[in-house]
Amino acid sequence: MTGHHGRRSRRRFDVSGVVQGVGFRPFVYAAAAELELTGTVHNDVAGVVIDVEGLPERLIDFARRLTDAHPPLAVVEAVVMTDLEPRGGTGFSIGASSASGGHRTFASPDVATCDDCVAELRDPTNRRFRHPFITCTNCGPRFTIITDLPYDRGSTTMVDFPMCEACQHEYEDPADRRFHAQPIACHDCGPTLRLVSAGAADELGEQALSRARTLLQEGGIVAVKGLGGYHLACDAGNETAVAELRRRKARGGKPFAIMVRDLRHLRRIAEVSDDEEAILTGGRRPILLLRSRSHPSIAASVAPHNPDLGVLLPYTATHELLMGRDGHGTQVLVMTSGNVSGEPIVTDDAQAMTRLAGLADAWLMHNRRITVPCDDSVARFTAGIELPIRRSRGYAPLPIALPFEVEPILAVGADLKNACGVAQGRYAWISQHLGDMDDLATIEALTASAAHLEMLTGVEPAQLVADLHPAYRSPAWAKTQAAGRPIVRAQHHHAHIASVMGEHGVPPEQRVIGIAFDGTGYGTDGAVWGGEVMIADYKGFQRSAHLAYVPLAGGDASVLRPYRMALAHLHNAGVPWSADLPSLAACPDNERAILRHQLSSGFGCVPTSSMGRLFDAVASLAGVRHEVEYEAQAAIELEGLARGVDPEGGYRFALVPGDHQDAPTTADPTPVVGAIVSDVRAGVPAPVIAARFHDAVTALIVTLARQSRAETGLSTVVLGGGVFQNALLLPSTVAALREDAFDVLHPHLLPPNDGGISLGQILIGAAG
Ligand code: ZN
Ligand code: ZN
Ligand code: FE
């Protein structure tokens, strides 16, 4: 060091953001060493605190590096600098974490095993050769092992594994790439694998792996414990095994995700663009929906009737070892959440043995505890962005910046695809995907996840926000948690729009043209909404247009059997129920009689403006699908058929002005339904009908947006709701609106479906 005491400065930096568990302290240490700075760095609950001293110009360089050159996983939100009196210390040290500090810091999501660790995993000379829990400062579990903050080994489930001498040495060596890597482990001190199967002794380590691989190759179904819970795995090329897993899980026709050994093999199975490759190989590693090529290594039962495959690459060392690289392992595995349909993913070993008892032949478990369930995330690349469909592992709990400051608040999400969220100040933290609220286990997972999220963020909500629906379980759950705190009720489609506004930082004083198309949501008039155009800000909305009401007869029955929606739309359009139409053929005679009575009398019917249900009706009218086995199946298959097909002129909705001023315009599908019936009778192929219908919906959105612009002068259109997961509709709508000089905002951080709704609830609750 220089001896120029007089030229030295000392400064404290308080760094907040995602700065714990991402290699920030080692980075600071290395930068300080290079710049010959002395001092300390430590974590506190608010982030990272750095106290450094050295030449003034070096301190300036250091400050620049904090924001410009930090580790890739870090998100630096703010750096607060305070000048201090120089004290002439020597050396630089990493201090112990302190539990004091103002605001809590942000926890990092889990990160896929990095290339350096994978290389070591495959290197026979490395001491971690084939170690299933290899990690470093840049990769490994985070969110799913954190029990408390600040993030340190003692605040993770790795506390169960005291470091061996060699690991301790690496952990303390600033020059080592595992310096302060909290989940550091090796063969001597880390977690271990165990294979449990009925009628055989347990096997450990390599024997466990090799037995699991043999079982998979022989067509067995193995429950595999991963980062955020158990998967059920089987050989994706073995039709008997996949069909058996489908049967045991009572899965219906819902596609399975597959894990493919490497990118080279993946290219034979699906089409992969450069953008998609970057997502597949990145640290977040979601399941990505890709256009499938027909390939013999994929059994027909993996994704029946589906043009896409949900594909992901290995993201833990255990996955790498399970799939193998020596030509002996299975190249493609079905990797589906280890749960009974609808329940959250199983994380607990004892529960895995009981709840998955009828599903798995064997269990490949490990002894590191999982603190919160976290499914694989699902995304697709469309409209030039990575569109989230299920936001979970790798993404949660990254914070989302808010357009205005909010008081501490908890939003409980919707009943389907539930995800809750908390917010305070300028940040919201949305939980991982939890599941559907009709399941008791999901409600328990919601309770646990809300508490975990509050602990991680330090947010102590002063109010709650829940959906308007009087019969939803999420508002009922909110009431059990309120303990005297107020509960704001947010309208479902308003929340969809507010979410997307929030993602894009739309300021509170701005109004937008909001278009929310989805399956269902409770309207302020008691009807089932789902084809809504709203002039909205965060505070409120005015319904300016909607899809014309049709009677929804018998609620769930009509959701599960699209032919009932087809008949309702025929009835409404005044088209006779002729036996030559496929929807009529699909409907049993007695059901048809009851339905006719219900639709004409209104008995047992609720009016609905749902666009999702119209997609169902069209799928049935075109003879594509009359009954569904999973949510949105009919719309997904209709979209698949329409891809790449020229509509050669689409159908058109009729617009009916409201009957008084301020009454919303209705979009009447009568001409669309009539034209489809003509096309069916003329023998027009289903893909053309599907393409013409997609074209009609795009044209409708543009027409309604123009009308709203003419009435209000607004030109920002916000698209939200599950219908916009459609990889054909979203890009065509965005392009058509931009062509017409609209600013178009669509979801990109959170799913368009109900999994993204809690952010909107937060903003509505805070603005109200
Ligand atoms: Zn690594
Ligand atoms: Zn060790
Ligand atoms: Fe919705």
Side-chain angles (χ1 to χ4, degrees), residues 112-118 134-140 177-178:
T113 309
C114 72
D115 291 347
D116 290 341
C117 285
V118 170
I134 188 169
T135 65
C136 70
T137 304
N138 294 322
C139 76
R177 67 183 198 86
R178 292 193 172 83

Side-chain angles (χ1 to χ4, degrees), residues 127 164 167 185-186 188-189:
R127 74 181 193 91
C164 69
C167 284
C186 74
D188 294 332
C189 64

Side-chain angles (χ1 to χ4, degrees), residues 48-213:
V48 169
V49 182
I50 306 159
D51 180 340
V52 281
E53 186 170 332
L55 295 173
E57 60 272 25
R58 299 271 172 94
L59 279 177
I60 290 165
D61 192 2
F62 179 78
R64 185 193 54 74
R65 292 187 191 199
L66 289 181
T67 48
D68 295 354
H70 57 69
L73 297 179
V75 181
V76 173
E77 148 62 10
V79 180
V80 177
M81 290 185 271
T82 320
D83 283 322
L84 302 169
E85 267 309 295
R87 57 182 176 184
T90 58
F92 191 92
S93 66
I94 295 197
S97 295
S98 122
S100 66
H103 200 69
R104 294 252 174 170
T105 189
F106 308 157
S108 164
D110 299 323
V111 185
T113 309
C114 72
D115 291 347
D116 290 341
C117 285
V118 170
E120 288 187 8
L121 184 73
R122 293 174 187 162
D123 173 7
T125 67
N126 191 279
R127 74 181 193 91
R128 289 190 180 82
F129 177 54
R130 297 184 65 79
H131 178 52
F133 302 93
I134 188 169
T135 65
C136 70
T137 304
N138 294 322
C139 76
R142 299 288 188 275
F143 178 56
T144 56
I145 60 168
I146 299 181
T147 53
D148 201 359
L149 284 179
Y151 177 71
D152 260 325
R153 194 176 177 93
S155 311
T156 73
T157 58
M158 285 301 291
V159 74
D160 300 344
F161 305 94
M163 279 180 240
C164 69
E165 236 173 80
C167 284
Q168 186 83 42
H169 185 79
E170 291 167 308
Y171 182 86
E172 287 168 4
D173 178 2
D176 196 278
R177 67 183 198 86
R178 292 193 172 83
F179 182 50
H180 282 246
Q182 307 307 341
I184 187 173
C186 74
H187 288 295
D188 294 332
C189 64
T192 47
L193 292 176
R194 171 185 297 267
L195 188 98
V196 179
S197 57
D202 289 3
E203 304 202 66
L204 297 176
E206 283 291 347
Q207 281 71 41
L209 265 174
S210 126
R211 178 90 186 107
R213 286 170 62 161

Side-chain angles (χ1 to χ4, degrees), residues 1 49 62 180 214 281 299 326 343 392 409 440 472 516 580 586 614 617 625 652 675 700 718 764 768:
M1 297 300 302
V49 182
F62 179 78
H180 282 246
T214 305
T281 57
D326 43 14
E343 290 186 3
S392 222
I409 190 165
L440 183 63
Y472 261 19
D580 66 317
L614 180 59
R625 177 146 299 275
R652 289 298 176 264
L700 173 67
V718 169
I764 291 169

Side-chain angles (χ1 to χ4, degrees), residues 626-640:
H626 302 295
E627 298 185 49
V628 297
E629 291 170 314
Y630 60 92
E631 205 216 349
Q633 182 179 11
I636 287 166
E637 292 181 10
L638 204 62
E639 175 200 330

Side-chain angles (χ1 to χ4, degrees), residues 528-553:
V528 174
W529 290 9
E532 311 306 312
V533 182
M534 297 173 167
I535 305 304
D537 56 18
Y538 299 110
K539 277 199 168 70
F541 68 91
Q542 192 198 352
R543 196 184 190 199
S544 66
H546 62 85
L547 206 55
Y549 284 142
V550 295
L552 179 73

